[in-house]
Amino acid sequence: MAPPPFIIVAIDGGAASGKSSSSRTLSDRFNLLHVDTGSFYRAITAEMLRQGVRADDHRRLPPALAALRLTTRLAGRSAEMEINGRVAGDEIRSREVNEHVSHYAAVPELRAALLAYQRGLADFGRQHGFRGLVMEGRDIGSAIFPNADCRFFLHADPGERERRRAGQGLHDQIRERDRIDSSRKTSPLTCPPGATSIDTTHVSLEQVVELMAAAVAAKLIP
Ligand code: C5P
């Protein structure tokens, strides 16, 4: 008998567009490995800041990135990235990382390293008995898994997204990060052709998840 299909679900969108909540819910409901790729960019940013290597230091940044050993550990249904054997802590949500992360994320060498690492997580998910993976980020449906079984692009009014972040007690640079993420040369934040675009401004999380879940279920039980 053929093995059951391993499906890939890509969820992209700007900050506070609803990616995290919806991807975690889908992960729980369908036993999919959950991957928050924003946390990877944040962890590497925190590490480079710690080492004192700036995003615009074209001489020191590439070798510093190449020296990082990236491995994975499972926490519940989520894949956590280890840098040199250690998972980053709360510092990745700090104001300093919010301010710098989009500048590091625009560096092609960093995106190339994470592209290979992220694609490798499909094998990690298979080995750990998941039925697929749900990966959230900015370029998952456009660059990492352009042939994903389901590709969603979430967006919402910036004012509403700022209210969501403030409601979580977080200070974030949503508009500035979106501006840099959308205008960079390598893998900019954009809705790729063929992806399902969902405006979450006036729609409840439950409604968004139900729409996505119907598409995922159709792929799992063809
Ligand atoms: O998702 P989150 O807001 O935590 O992402 C932090 C930053 O990481 C984004 O603003 C973006 O600069 C970068 N990022 C990216 N590509 C991804 C995920 C995140 O460039 N796939």
Side-chain angles (χ1 to χ4, degrees):
M1 225 170 67
F6 183 89
I7 68 157
I8 307 275
V9 181
I11 305 183
D12 289 305
S17 57
K19 302 187 301 290
S20 262
S21 315
S22 55
S23 57
R24 283 178 194 281
T25 308
L26 292 177
S27 157
D28 287 341
R29 195 181 292 187
F30 295 106
N31 191 27
L32 308 176
L33 176 68
H34 170 248
V35 186
D36 168 11
T37 63
S39 71
F40 301 163
Y41 284 91
R42 287 172 176 277
I44 292 181
T45 298
E47 176 63 18
M48 289 301 109
L49 290 171
R50 195 186 66 75
Q51 293 187 19
V53 182
R54 293 166 47 117
D56 60 1
D57 189 335
H58 305 300
R59 194 177 55 81
R60 289 177 67 216
L61 185 58
L65 292 171
L68 300 178
R69 195 168 49 82
L70 304 181
T71 51
T72 312
R73 140 184 130 174
L74 196 59
R77 289 194 177 82
S78 292
E80 290 189 341
M81 185 177 75
E82 299 165 319
I83 300 181
N84 302 332
R86 179 183 166 267
V87 174
D90 289 344
E91 73 272 18
I92 69 168
R93 309 278 158 201
S94 67
R95 180 188 286 247
E96 196 190 10
V97 170
N98 279 340
E99 278 173 18
H100 289 89
V101 63
S102 293
H103 298 286
Y104 286 94
V107 174
E109 286 87 349
L110 174 47
R111 304 207 70 82
L114 280 178
L115 181 136
Y117 173 77
Q118 288 170 88
R119 286 191 179 156
L121 290 173
D123 277 342
F124 180 88
R126 280 190 194 92
Q127 284 157 13
H128 286 82
F130 289 96
R131 298 177 75 189
L133 68 77
V134 53
M135 188 175 279
E136 49 164 311
R138 303 290 189 289
D139 61 343
I140 313 307
S142 58
I144 308 297
F145 290 117
N147 297 320
D149 298 275
C150 302
R151 293 183 304 155
F152 301 103
F153 186 84
L154 304 185
H155 56 103
D157 175 75
E160 167 61 17
R161 293 190 289 128
E162 278 166 351
R163 274 190 291 282
R164 290 176 190 169
R165 272 293 187 266
Q168 297 166 332
L170 297 172
H171 169 89
D172 201 347
Q173 319 239 332
I174 288 179
R175 289 177 206 244
E176 180 61 2
R177 285 203 287 129
D178 277 3
R179 187 187 64 72
I180 302 172
D181 292 342
S182 308
S183 58
R184 69 180 170 228
K185 288 205 180 69
T186 314
S187 306
L189 168 66
T190 180
C191 180
T196 304
S197 172
I198 307 173
D199 184 346
T200 70
T201 310
H202 304 295
V203 183
S204 72
L205 176 65
E206 288 73 22
Q207 287 171 299
V208 174
V209 167
E210 286 320 315
L211 198 152
M212 293 172 151
V216 172
K219 295 288 177 182
L220 281 171
I221 312 138

